[in-house]
Amino acid sequence: MSPKTFRSIGHFLLQIPLWLYFVVSIYPLFWMISYSLKNNDEIFVTNPFGLPTHFRFENYVNAWTQFNIPRYFWNSFVVSIISTLFILLLALMFAFAVARMQWRFRSAVRTYMLVGMFMPLQVIMIPLALLVRDFHLTNTYGALIIPYIAIGLPFSTMVFYGFLVSIPREIEEAACIDGASIYRLFLGVILPLALPAIATIAIFQFLNNWNEFTLAYILISDENMKTLPLGLLFFQGSYSTDWGAMGAVMTIASLPMVLVYLLLSDQVERAMTVGSAVKG
Amino acid sequence: MNKYLGNKSALALFLLPALLLYSVILIYPVLQTVVRSFYDWDGLSTAAFSGFANYRELFNDPLLSTSLKNGLIFALVLAVFQIGLGTVLALVCANPRTRGRKLLKTAYFIPVVLSVTVVCQLWIAMYDPTNGLVNKLFGLLNIPYRQNWLSSPTQSIIAIAFVNAWQFMGYQFSLLYAGVKAVPEDYFEAATIDGCGKWRAHWHVTLPLMRETYKFCFTIAITSGIGAFVQMLIMTNGGPGTTNYTMTFMIYRYAFMESNYGYACAVSVLLVLISLVATVVINKVFDRGQNA
């Protein structure tokens, strides 16, 4: 054997762990989808590993009609969309004021905002729950939306800040000479320029808010107000006899995010890992 | 120009909403937690100042040692699995001769975008002692290692930590992969030309240059291990008994189930301090390597 073929065999062998982990990463999901189309007998005894022999779509019909899934979806959607929009708006305005405007305490205010990025959520859990109670927000959308906005701000403002300081200074001069007001400068010039950063933060915050669990668990107890991660919590118990329907519920809950990811994989990965550049 | 960019009313409009919300919802509660940790307080009646009593009690609480031990195991599983295995996978995957890189990266990342509840429920099903995939797989391979994964007092914490490690592997992998890619290829080539084996070249050249990446990866792994909560809650509710308690689980229980808010605040403060110390230590360790 020539050294070259030896090397390519070596490299081929090296790739085996990659594909093994490929299976470890994907197979549980494949298993979930396939058992969502089986009945108990097939899951447990006749065919636990492979594709279903007969596609039992009735599991999906049962899951959708008997349980509160549409409601959970709607709640998650409302909470995630509203909090993401407000995070984008407030963070961009704040970053604009700190990165572009001229005033005395801007670096102190920026540092103040930075502190929040390193604050573990656990430390605000208790006072926040009491705050929400005292404002009579328990079991309303506001109980989640307001904290989600606040928690999303430090990180988003830092990303926007990093983006906005890199824009050339002449932009403001041109706007000033053209007679544009500062609001016009913000909306008509800065906002369009920041679109790439806005897209990244939008994906990041939407995913975070969509999947947030701990605060929702503490602040929401009303069945009709539960978000998707919270609503799914109790399926295990109620479905213990019907695994197929449980698989269907879980598949329905996962599908939107997986589809979004498959369509926008590069953007999603960039959004999720942008933190390493800012925090590191 | 300065007057234009120093417009006071515009400044107030741009700054205040974010600043106000941030202060009321994040900073004020942090201060509250610290202050309340020195009080005996049930959340309703007037709090009574108790000095360090909560902290003294905390250090004698058997749940604290359980929680610290579990946090450490959790962090260790994350570090070994995600960063150890993740590094190997990233190095091989970054080799230009590896095929299907896009497909591999996508497959590794999909679990990251799933809801943690779905992932936990899925793994409860997979760990099921009679019908679960994990035991069936051992049976299929004729390995006598079938067990009741989630009810073992010693192993369940590892089984649970593995679920978190599995879900967020793709995240750490993406960071590590980007880190490997950021190392200039000439460095690595120079080392191999100088007679270094590939793995030795990675060990001496690639990995040391990924210091910043590792700093971040370890910080994430260690702090999320110490603060772990959701997986314990969903998969075993802290059990069997109290064996799977973590510090966040303690906070949750003392505050929201036993209305012992002052004490729970003390646990929160300790949790933050430990996370802070861990972050500082990680930074120090990786910065010292730089000067050596």
Side-chain angles (χ1 to χ4, degrees), chain A residues 92 95-96 99-102 159-175 185-186 188-198, chain B residues 5:
Chain A
L92 198 63
F96 174 74
R100 313 294 300 187
M101 293 181 75
Q102 306 288 333
V159 173
F160 286 146
Y161 175 84
F163 192 89
L164 292 185
V165 284
S166 67
I167 296 173
R169 281 280 156 207
E170 290 74 35
I171 294 269
E172 280 95 358
E173 280 166 32
L185 166 73
F186 177 73
V189 182
I190 298 290
L191 195 81
L193 279 175
L195 277 180
I198 293 176
Chain B
L5 287 174

Side-chain angles (χ1 to χ4, degrees), chain B residues 160-229:
Chain B
I160 294 172
F162 179 78
V163 174
N164 187 310
W166 175 83
Q167 181 174 11
F168 296 105
M169 175 63 146
Y171 177 72
Q172 297 269 31
F173 175 82
S174 298
L175 296 174
L176 292 164
Y177 183 80
V180 174
K181 280 283 179 195
V183 173
E185 257 175 54
D186 329 356
Y187 288 26
F188 176 70
E189 270 165 28
T192 43
I193 288 166
D194 285 351
C196 242
K198 257 194 185 160
W199 290 103
R200 268 175 60 93
H202 277 313
W203 182 253
H204 290 294
V205 177
T206 315
L207 298 187
L209 287 170
M210 287 168 64
R211 187 173 294 111
E212 289 302 317
T213 305
Y214 278 113
K215 225 190 249 180
F216 186 71
C217 289
F218 274 101
T219 308
I220 295 279
I222 306 295
T223 51
S224 50
I226 297 168
F229 172 64

Side-chain angles (χ1 to χ4, degrees), chain B residues 12-145:
Chain B
L13 181 77
F14 284 136
L15 275 183
L16 288 183
L19 221 46
L20 207 69
L21 205 61
Y22 170 75
S23 304
V24 173
I25 305 292
L26 241 101
I27 297 300
Y28 175 68
V30 171
L31 300 176
Q32 278 267 310
T33 301
V34 176
V35 171
R36 292 295 185 184
S37 73
F38 295 103
Y39 282 80
D40 191 14
W41 182 46
D42 62 7
L44 291 170
S45 53
T46 335
F49 184 75
S50 63
F52 282 95
N54 285 329
Y55 289 94
R56 268 196 300 275
E57 198 188 328
L58 180 56
F59 284 109
N60 292 319
D61 190 335
L63 280 182
L64 181 66
S65 51
T66 310
S67 300
L68 288 176
K69 193 192 83 205
N70 283 336
L72 216 60
I73 296 176
F74 209 105
L76 207 66
V77 172
L78 293 189
V80 170
F81 186 80
Q82 293 180 333
I83 303 178
L85 181 61
T87 299
V88 176
L89 295 180
L91 287 176
V92 179
C93 198
N95 187 318
R97 284 193 295 160
T98 299
R99 302 227 180 118
R101 271 184 283 179
K102 179 83 195 140
L103 185 65
L104 289 163
K105 277 179 67 188
T106 308
Y108 295 170
F109 205 83
I110 284 181
V112 178
V113 301
L114 297 181
S115 156
V116 65
T117 319
V118 168
V119 170
C120 287
Q121 302 277 24
L122 175 62
W123 279 87
I124 290 174
M126 301 223 299
Y127 282 140
D128 190 287
T130 45
N131 304 315
L133 193 68
V134 178
N135 277 346
K136 282 222 164 100
L137 193 68
F138 281 119
L140 196 75
L141 298 171
N142 258 323
I143 301 169
Y145 200 66

Side-chain angles (χ1 to χ4, degrees), chain A residues 18 24-25 44 101-102 112-113 116 122-123 126-127 130 133 172 180 211 217 229 232-233 236 261 266 272, chain B residues 1 4-5 22-23 29 33 41 43 98 102 107-109 113 117 121 126 131 136 166 169 171 227 248 252 261:
Chain A
L18 283 177
V24 173
S25 189
F44 299 150
M101 293 181 75
Q102 306 288 333
Y112 174 66
M113 187 59 99
Q122 292 94 337
V123 75
I126 298 165
L130 298 173
R133 187 190 68 188
E172 280 95 358
N211 284 338
Y217 183 72
L232 294 182
L233 187 58
Q236 189 77 19
Y261 172 63
D266 288 340
M272 297 304 282
Chain B
M1 199 62 211
Y4 180 68
L5 287 174
Y22 170 75
S23 304
T33 301
W41 182 46
T98 299
K102 179 83 195 140
Y108 295 170
F109 205 83
V113 301
T117 319
Q121 302 277 24
M126 301 223 299
N131 304 315
K136 282 222 164 100
W166 175 83
M169 175 63 146
Y171 177 72
T248 309
Y252 173 73
Y261 284 93

